[in-house]
Amino acid sequence: MEDVNFPQRLVHVDLKGAPPRMNYYEQIFPIIASMGATGLLVEYEDMFPYHGRFSHLRAPHAYSSEDIAALHTLAATYNLSIIPLIQTFGHFEFILKHDEHRPIREIEHYPNALCPTHPDSFPLVTKLITQVLELHTSDKFLHIGADEVWHIGKCPRCQDYMEDKKMSISEFFLAWMFKVAWWVKKQHPHLTIIMWDDMMRNVTADVLKSSGIGELVEPMVWQYQTANFDLPSDIFSRYSSIFKGLWTASAFKGATGSTQFLPPIQHHINNQLTWKRVLSENKGEIKNFRGIALTGWQRYDHYAVLCELLPVALPSLCLCLRVLTQGSFTESDHDYVSQALGFPHRINVLPFPRPQVVEQGANFPGHKVYVGVQMWSNFVCKYQAISNSEGMLGWFSDYLRSRNFTNPVQVENIMSQVNEVAENLSELRTHLIPWLLEVVYEDTVEEWVGSFIDPLLKKLTSVIEECKTQIMIGGRVRDYKKSDY
């Protein structure tokens, strides 16, 4: 099998959840550069300092223009290029959630995709692109998104337009992307435009050619599986006959579940290895391979909960970069990355099932958050084990408690176990908040704690209070008077 090189190895920085503080970039850039990263694919979403009539799009801790300038300077220090990513069709939630932009939704009730035939859509998209590119004047690439446009051609205006032009959904999609890309090329001819490929993955070569999109963009083929990629057999030959360049995308986090909290590292290592194999097998079909982006999704969409935090996934990222630079994953590769991140042992690439021994002793940036999330996951598993235990199910069921017919001997044992988890979790909360604040902003800390720690603490407290009530009652005669029949 002929080997394949990855000319560009981009680290995707997804800012639509848990955006890092600027000083965290200072800590991790030298690490990821030393591991083989060549650039950053920065998906700003609401973290960009939009101004004027778009000021309302900014998150509370959005980066300033000075921050973005500093990001460029810092990246250049470590020979990292920056590619901004702006969604221009689907995943438009951070804009369409605002009432003033509700009219340009494709489906009025859903904030996912814009309506390409609405007269305000194109001016809005071009103004957003203009503001972003004003702070990226030295960059050579622009990613215009366009993945997972599930709601397309649904509104009456779009349906009338397609019927009038005799267009299929695919042709309609390509027409909008051509319009956006044409405008970008006209205004910024030096830019190479990239877009996600999934919406045109099954479009025929004839339709792609007739759309003209091949002269304007380069597709980024994403796939996060670990064995056999779900890709059309002719995708590489077809794309190479249409487009001037080709990119791929793997994942180092955020691709194995919307509520994932620890990255299954071996899965992501295997994803990189599979990409290497697939590209090697198709090397003869691929012309002008640009490189790969290691995606690190922070939410599945703007409304979803946070998945793996960046500090928790830094070991996964470094191991995946090592795979791409070395072309394999050996024990020496494992040792190299583990030692570079300060682990006194090999990084655990199989963190599930939980609970497991918490990996401590590392000293990479954000390692305390890495430890804290592992501890939290163990406490969750311990509570789940108690909830499903013979004691809880056999002596503390909803039915028995509703009749106040419980044995204090068993209840005291249950309360002791639950109380231990509650105390440990409460103590972790006090430590984890300042650990998180070293890396992310206050609103992210509030969300993570409010999503994952506080609900469990509330549940544990409720069980403890019920235990106290049942112990006070103390082994009563069964109440036969309460009946649901």
Side-chain angles (χ1 to χ4, degrees), residues 467-485:
C467 285
K468 290 178 179 178
T469 299
Q470 293 298 322
I471 291 170
M472 287 178 61
I473 293 169
R476 288 176 48 176
V477 175
R478 184 189 294 270
D479 184 355
Y480 287 101
K481 295 180 180 178
K482 296 180 180 179
S483 175
D484 297 326
Y485 302 97

Side-chain angles (χ1 to χ4, degrees), residues 146 228 342:
N228 297 311

